[in-house]
Structures are given as structure tokens and as C-alpha cells.
Amino acid sequence: MSDSEAIPAATLVVIRDRASAPPELLMVERPRTMAFAGGAMVFPGGRIDAADWEGASSLEQAAARAAVRETLEETGLEIALEALVPFARWRPDNVRHRRFDTFFFLAPAPRDEVELTPQPGECERALWIGAGAMLAEIAAGAASAIFPTVRNLERLAQFAGFAEARDHALAHPVEIISPWVEERDGTRWLTIPAHLGYPVTSERLETALRT
């Protein structure tokens, strides 16, 4: 793979429904020593390995296997492969850091409570938190997140539970999202398409964390 090629990767958004409160999402904090998104809050995930291709007939199937494997490795949470729902695919172009072609999947949390066990070296901590609460921490400077994570949190904050998120995902196409910069009235904005289900589709380039 050349330096210009995007690295195939996968991410899993695990949604835990709550009876009288917004659902919680499984998130992890990356070590600050990592070259890409060091210290950022992200959903569990990582590169697609050769083993993920075993029995897979497409890149999306290999990505689903990788998402399940990485979630188990990083947090100790086991998710059934058949529970996954395609949600998005992000592939930033024209960036100076390593490029990832990342498949995002949704899955409901297991019914049984499982103690999260963050993997040393892969994540500093793993936690359940509502999308709105995570966005509030990011806005207050108590946490950091890259542009795709923020946009996905805003999208997920719309839903009262996994079923709503799943139905919304199935109602929108999964297309490669490659954010671009456009200028409006002298201000540069990092922008994504408007038809893919995201309530916020642009952010000032000066505030968007892309690395």
C-alpha cells in the first residue's frame, strides 16, 4: 500500500438503550501518545486485518468483522456480527496525516451487563455516555474529538434508542464521505454532503480537529 492510499478500517457504535433517558454510546479515549487522534474520544475500531477477510465476500463484510474484533479487543465487549447495521463510511482526502477509509456500523448493546476492560496501549478508558453529554464535554474543552466523530455524535443525538438509529441508517444511503473546504463570506468551512442524515454538515475550518 502506498502512502497515498487510504487504510481500510472499521468502527462500531454500540448503543445501550435506557428506559427514561437518552441512550448511551460506547466510547474510548485514545492514548495521547498515538500519532493519529491522540487523546481523542472515539468509537471502538481499527484497521481491517488479513484475518478479517476469512469468510468475507466483500470489503464491507471484512469491515464488519474488524469492527466486532476491535470492540472486543479494546473494551472486552462481545457483539454478535449479525447485529451490525451499516451506518456511514468516511474517507478524508487531502489531509497530511494517514488516511483511513472507515466503515461505521451500529449495534445494540448486549442485554447482560458486561464490565468494560480497556486494552492497555489501545485506549486509556472505555465508558458509556450519551451523545449529547459527550458533545457537551467536547464543547466545554473537557474532551476532544475529530471532525467525523463530532458529526456522528450530532447525528446519533437525534435518536431515542437503537431502533430509531437503525431505521434512520436504513433510510439513508451509505456513501463515501470525503469532507471538503469551501469559502463563504471570507470564512473557510469543512463541509460534508447534506443528504446523508447529518443535522450539521459544516464547521469552521479553524475549529475542526482533523488530526
Side-chain angles (χ1 to χ4, degrees):
M1 177 180 293
S2 69
D3 292 340
S4 62
E5 290 181 289
I7 300 167
T11 286
L12 184 55
V13 180
V14 184
I15 301 175
R16 184 168 73 174
D17 287 349
R18 296 192 291 171
S20 57
E24 294 178 321
L25 312 175
L26 177 62
M27 300 198 73
V28 298
E29 181 180 358
R30 292 171 61 84
R32 296 187 181 278
T33 55
M34 286 190 165
F36 177 76
M41 298 300 301
V42 298
F43 304 108
R47 300 186 187 204
I48 299 174
D49 290 344
D52 299 319
W53 280 99
E54 296 179 8
S57 60
S58 66
L59 177 57
E60 184 177 287
Q61 287 188 4
R65 291 174 178 270
V68 169
R69 174 183 56 75
E70 288 282 351
T71 299
L72 178 60
E73 291 176 357
E74 291 184 358
T75 70
L77 189 67
E78 186 171 1
I79 301 295
L81 187 63
E82 59 270 18
L84 270 61
V85 177
F87 184 62
R89 183 177 178 183
W90 284 72
R91 190 190 66 199
D93 294 324
N94 302 315
V95 291
R96 288 175 290 182
H97 56 73
R98 286 176 295 178
R99 296 171 57 237
F100 291 90
D101 182 359
T102 306
F103 290 77
F104 285 74
F105 298 92
L106 305 178
R111 291 180 179 273
D112 296 332
E113 192 76 20
V114 176
E115 181 180 357
L116 301 178
T117 54
Q119 182 186 32
E122 290 293 328
C123 53
E124 294 293 325
R125 60 182 175 131
L127 71 156
W128 294 102
I129 186 169
M134 188 75 260
L135 286 167
E137 288 194 14
I138 295 168
S144 67
I146 58 176
F147 182 81
T149 303
V150 175
R151 301 288 82 81
N152 280 301
L153 284 169
E154 290 163 344
R155 184 177 176 185
L156 292 160
Q158 301 176 102
F159 312 125
F162 173 76
E164 282 190 16
R166 176 199 60 210
D167 292 347
H168 187 270
L170 295 175
H172 291 82
V174 175
E175 300 175 1
I176 294 175
I177 300 175
S178 297
W180 68 91
V181 177
E182 62 180 40
E183 188 167 321
R184 307 176 205 156
D185 299 325
T187 300
R188 302 178 77 196
W189 296 80
L190 193 59
T191 307
I192 62 174
H195 66 285
L196 300 180
Y198 289 87
V200 179
T201 58
S202 62
E203 181 178 345
R204 291 175 182 269
L205 185 60
E206 62 193 41
T207 65
L209 181 60
R210 304 173 68 187
T211 59

